Amino acid sequence: HAVVGRSAAAFVGCGRGWDPGPENLWIHLDSDVGIDWAGVRDTALRSVSGSGGTGGTGGTVVMPCDEALAAWTAHRAARSLEIAASGLSALGPLDVTQMNRIVGESVLGASARVPLLGGVSRDGGWRRGQMLLDAFVDAGWRVRLRRPA
């Protein structure tokens, strides 16, 4: 959730997002090794032109379209997820299928809940969620894998 869920919520809800890449993402763990808080070093938002962005001023970088922002977000998040997976695998066997499922469920959860909570178009939110899943697939994450019947 610290890497994908927050990014997916911002993308689905308003066509914006910050950099979820490893150089930018800060995750603080509590004494039980749970995520206490997450933050970003560079607060510049990436925004789809026409989604209320400021046209490149005031800390906003304008992306040409939803697809471009989805691809950028997925590729930057994938780099952070690879580092997280490496760290988790040092603690024990890591089920890659489960990691992919968690990423997919984070995107689907955001695309289903954010429109309801944020007063955003359900169709638009779902479309952006599917676009982000496709971008994760293009980045090498098998987030669309189905569970065996």
Side-chain angles (χ1 to χ4, degrees), residues 9-78:
F11 176 65
V12 165
C14 57
R16 295 182 185 161
W18 53 89
D19 183 358
E23 307 85 13
N24 195 46
L25 191 62
W26 288 68
I27 299 175
H28 183 267
L29 303 177
D30 61 20
S31 60
D32 296 326
V33 194
I35 294 175
D36 190 26
W37 56 263
V40 292
R41 176 180 291 166
D42 176 8
T43 60
L45 288 174
R46 274 63 180 176
S47 177
V48 176
S49 58
S51 69
T54 59
T57 62
T60 301
V61 177
V62 176
M63 303 293 279
C65 60
D66 281 343
E67 291 84 0
L69 182 54
W72 180 83
T73 300
H75 281 82
R76 294 295 292 156

